[in-house]
Amino acid sequence: MTKKLGIIGGGQLGMMITEAAKNLSDEISEITVLDPTENCPAAQAGAKQIIGDFKDEVAILKLAEQSDIITYEIESGNTNVLSKLKAKIEPSPSTLGIIQDKLSQKIFLSENGLPVSQFYEITSLDDLREKIKDLGLPVLLKSRRDAYDGRGNFKIALESEIEKAYRHFDGKSLMVEKFVDFKMEVSVIAARNTKGEIAAYPLVENIHEDNILKMTIAPARVSDDVINDAGDIAKKTMEVLKGAGVFGIEMFVDQNDKILINEIAPRVHNSGHHTLQSCKTSQFEQHLRAILGLELGSTDLVHKTVMCNILGPDGFEGKYKPVHLENDGAYLKMYGKDISKPQRKIGHFNVVDLNDSKNASELLKIADEIKNSVTIIPLS
Ligand code: AMP
């Protein structure tokens, strides 16, 4: 019997889930998204839209009335409301609840024997000073909730910065973490279906600037030992987390090749966009297969790929001309967002080694050339 799918969040992730859902028409008959922006990217891809905030109880209840199964593209859904719904929610609200709060996420991971950087809860400025005495500088002070793309992080390198960092968060609940001197950021996109089967995509390398993902290199340029360690950690993480779906497991590789988990996203992930062309099963289809209890698809990397985000340029907010790529070896995906804002993710492209003839440096060079040729031109 086909199911009606509800998605909380209709941005680019909701859009790509919608596109994958339309290809699974034997399983999914209807797609509805909840998103505050009228004609959001997922609606442009063909989903029905309920306009409302992700935390709005009435809007969530309306979504639940129209859905047999609900999933989400963002972590900030209202878990109190979600746990009361009759519609099935995947990944489960209890898993979402653990992950939503960076502190409870880190406690959960360390209690399950998974490696994370040393961390503490922070309850006051004096408490922060005390904890820094123990951790040493530098540290990252983090907002526990509703923080993404590094927006809730403040690096403290000097003692003189402690008070400014604390005041910056203006009463938000906080945690502090030892700064990891990493040599690389990597991630594993992994899925578990409702039957408990687990599948993970190969390890990828992520390049961030200003805390925002700029590029993903698939596969990561690391030793076999690092690949195996990261794979074991990802598998163990999936075993302890409840709920079905795709998860993005972000990790650091430190200077001694030790892996530490930075953060888990209970959803499809920006560093998995390469799978649209590099793998037989995209992370979006995999997510749907997982929550519907279907057999998981192949996670083999068929083509080396570099994914590059297209971000809104600094100093401009407004409508822009459609973006095209000159290079036909690259796959462009624009998200249909009307307005560009500084650092806003408005699209991405994948440079795919279709003929298995290029190494990562060559792919990166092509990606750089394309990136430099993509200009966001304001519409006057
Ligand atoms: P987050 O939003 O917490 O995932 O952090 C965004 C980015 O901040 C990460 O991708 C890292 O580049 C950086 N970051 C977060 N935590 C740490 C840490 N403990 N040490 C060093 N860098 C970090």
Side-chain angles (χ1 to χ4, degrees), residues 102 106 117 140 142 147-153 177-182 185 208 211-212 250 252 262-263:
K102 286 188 183 197
K106 286 274 152 74
S117 182
L140 267 193
K142 294 188 172 186
Y148 61 96
D149 286 344
R151 276 173 215 176
N153 294 352
E177 203 171 275
K178 201 174 171 69
F179 191 81
V180 181
D181 178 22
F182 56 81
E185 291 191 73
H208 293 82
N211 287 307
I212 297 187
E250 296 178 38
F252 301 120
N262 171 33
E263 172 159 87

Side-chain angles (χ1 to χ4, degrees), residues 72 74-77 79 82 91-101 266:
Y72 41 90
I74 41 143
E75 288 90 327
S76 56
T79 46
L82 290 178
S92 64
S94 59
T95 297
L96 177 62
I98 295 168
I99 289 178
Q100 239 170 22
D101 175 353

Side-chain angles (χ1 to χ4, degrees), residues 36 94 112 121-122 132 163 232 238 242 254 269 288 295 350-351 357:
S94 59
N112 280 287
E121 178 180 4
I122 294 301
I132 287 177
E163 184 163 350
D232 289 347
M238 293 303 290
K242 300 273 182 305
D254 80 3
H269 194 255
L288 294 168
E295 197 182 321
N350 282 335
V351 179
S357 60

Side-chain angles (χ1 to χ4, degrees), residues 38-310:
E38 202 174 337
N39 197 26
C40 64
Q44 292 177 41
K48 292 202 298 178
Q49 181 176 0
I50 295 169
I51 298 175
D53 190 86
F54 313 122
K55 295 188 181 180
D56 177 347
E57 180 159 2
V58 175
I60 294 174
L61 291 173
K62 202 166 154 198
L63 180 70
E65 273 167 27
Q66 299 182 25
S67 314
D68 301 310
I69 178 161
I70 291 181
T71 189
Y72 41 90
E73 64 146 28
I74 41 143
E75 288 90 327
S76 56
N78 186 333
T79 46
N80 289 336
V81 181
L82 290 178
S83 43
K84 285 189 264 169
L85 297 179
K86 281 213 192 84
K88 204 169 161 218
I89 319 289
E90 292 291 3
S92 64
S94 59
T95 297
L96 177 62
I98 295 168
I99 289 178
Q100 239 170 22
D101 175 353
K102 286 188 183 197
L103 178 68
S104 68
Q105 184 186 142
K106 286 274 152 74
I107 292 171
F108 176 84
L109 291 171
S110 62
E111 282 181 356
N112 280 287
L114 288 155
V116 291
S117 182
Q118 199 185 345
F119 65 92
Y120 289 110
E121 178 180 4
I122 294 301
T123 54
S124 68
L125 178 57
D126 284 343
D127 186 27
L128 176 59
R129 290 189 202 283
E130 277 307 303
K131 298 299 167 20
I132 287 177
K133 273 188 203 153
D134 182 42
L135 294 172
L137 289 172
V139 295
L140 267 193
L141 186 60
K142 294 188 172 186
S143 168
R144 284 170 53 183
R145 292 175 176 277
D146 295 335
Y148 61 96
D149 286 344
R151 276 173 215 176
N153 294 352
F154 198 118
K155 183 177 176 186
I156 307 174
L158 303 168
E159 250 179 69
S160 57
E161 294 167 338
I162 297 177
E163 184 163 350
K164 185 177 169 209
Y166 184 78
R167 305 267 177 239
H168 170 80
F169 289 103
D170 193 26
K172 287 203 170 113
S173 49
L174 300 174
M175 63 173 291
V176 71
E177 203 171 275
K178 201 174 171 69
F179 191 81
V180 181
D181 178 22
F182 56 81
K183 66 177 181 198
M184 192 184 280
E185 291 191 73
V186 293
S187 59
V188 171
I189 305 295
R192 190 184 41 240
N193 68 11
T194 51
K195 295 174 191 145
E197 290 156 358
I198 294 172
Y201 289 91
L203 188 71
V204 298
E205 178 179 341
N206 296 319
I207 298 172
H208 293 82
E209 276 168 39
D210 300 329
N211 287 307
I212 297 187
L213 182 68
K214 290 281 148 90
M215 261 188 202
T216 295
I217 303 163
R221 296 166 297 174
V222 290
S223 67
D224 287 349
D225 284 347
V226 169
I227 289 175
N228 292 336
D229 287 353
D232 289 347
I233 288 168
K235 184 162 176 271
K236 190 164 174 202
T237 304
M238 293 303 290
E239 283 165 1
V240 296
L241 274 175
K242 300 273 182 305
V246 157
F247 293 78
I249 306 166
E250 296 178 38
M251 298 176 252
F252 301 120
V253 183
D254 80 3
Q255 300 297 334
N256 302 313
D257 276 354
K258 186 170 176 257
I259 308 272
L260 297 166
I261 297 181
N262 171 33
E263 172 159 87
I264 296 172
R267 54 168 171 78
V268 288
H269 194 255
N270 196 169
S271 71
H273 290 1
H274 68 92
T275 60
L276 282 168
Q277 277 86 32
S278 68
C279 297
K280 278 198 192 121
T281 319
S282 78
Q283 64 164 345
F284 305 101
E285 177 184 337
Q286 191 78 304
H287 180 67
L288 294 168
R289 301 189 76 80
I291 65 174
L292 293 168
L294 303 175
E295 197 182 321
L296 295 175
S298 161
T299 52
D300 291 349
L301 189 81
V302 184
H303 303 297
K304 292 191 283 301
T305 294
V306 168
M307 187 285 309
C308 203
N309 275 334
I310 300 176

